[in-house]
């Protein structure tokens, strides 16, 4: 069987330049959790060019900074025409959230609408002391 997906497809979008996610100083040290739901996420399959639609749900426990929502929205919108696999989109976004806000912990779940009868849910997590989320 001939391999259809290439290494180039696999890394598409992973290192793309995206808008900065801004933060603001957290005023509370109570260990509270923030949930942000982004129901209109879109990106593009790097091989077929077909759109991917989904809902992203971010849970994070802030430390010294909270995510500024408008900049997060602009960041998310930058994926609209970006060729990137769903798995890479979720992991890349989590890494960028961790880099921007340096939370105590964060989990990002992407629930993508079915394409060809296949539903995908990808969940990526990070917490202090873990080595993932560059």
């Amino acid at each position: 069987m001939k391999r259809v997906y290439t290494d180039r497809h696999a890394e598409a979008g992973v290192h793309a330049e995206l808008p900065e996610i801004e933060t603001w100083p957290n005023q509370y040290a109570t260990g509270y959790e923030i949930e942000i739901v982004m129901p209109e996420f879109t990106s593009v399959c790097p091989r077929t060019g077909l759109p991917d639609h989904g809902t992203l749900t971010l849970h994070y426990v802030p430390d010294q900074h909270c995510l500024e929502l408008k900049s997060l929205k602009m960041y998310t919108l930058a994926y609209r025409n970006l060729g990137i696999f769903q798995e890479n989109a979720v992991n890349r976004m989590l890494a960028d959230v961790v880099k921007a806000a340096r939370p105590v912990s964060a989990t990002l779940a992407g629930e993508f609408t079915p394409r060809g009868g296949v539903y995908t849910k990808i969940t990526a997590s990070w917490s202090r002391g873990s080595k993932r989320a560059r």
Side-chain angles (χ1 to χ4, degrees):
M1 183 165 136
K2 181 181 177 195
R3 184 173 171 209
V4 181
Y5 289 94
T6 66
D7 291 344
R8 186 173 172 175
H9 291 129
E11 65 184 28
V14 172
H15 303 291
E17 191 169 321
L18 296 171
E20 178 184 357
I21 301 172
E22 296 178 35
T23 62
W24 53 273
N26 182 14
Q27 302 300 301
Y28 299 94
T30 59
Y32 64 99
E33 181 178 85
I34 298 172
E35 177 183 73
I36 301 170
V37 179
M38 299 160 270
E40 299 176 343
F41 179 80
T42 58
S43 61
V44 178
C45 173
R47 181 175 176 270
T48 66
L50 294 172
D52 286 320
H53 302 272
T55 298
L56 300 178
T57 304
L58 173 65
H59 291 262
Y60 77 101
V61 176
D63 187 13
Q64 294 185 22
H65 297 93
C66 294
L67 298 172
E68 194 280 317
L69 295 180
K70 184 175 180 184
S71 71
L72 182 63
K73 179 180 178 106
M74 299 309 289
Y75 170 89
T76 304
L77 286 173
Y79 281 84
R80 185 169 303 247
N81 296 315
L82 181 63
I84 189 168
F85 286 128
Q86 297 168 354
E87 297 83 353
N88 290 345
V90 170
N91 281 285
R92 163 73 192 269
M93 186 176 290
L94 178 65
D96 289 345
V97 163
V98 167
K99 181 179 175 186
R102 297 184 187 111
V104 173
S105 63
T107 298
L108 180 64
E111 295 187 57
F112 295 90
T113 56
R115 186 192 309 154
V118 177
Y119 162 83
T120 307
K121 180 175 181 179
I122 297 123
T123 304
S125 296
W126 177 89
S127 63
R128 289 216 174 118
S130 69
K131 299 200 185 247
R132 292 303 238 175
R134 292 169 227 149

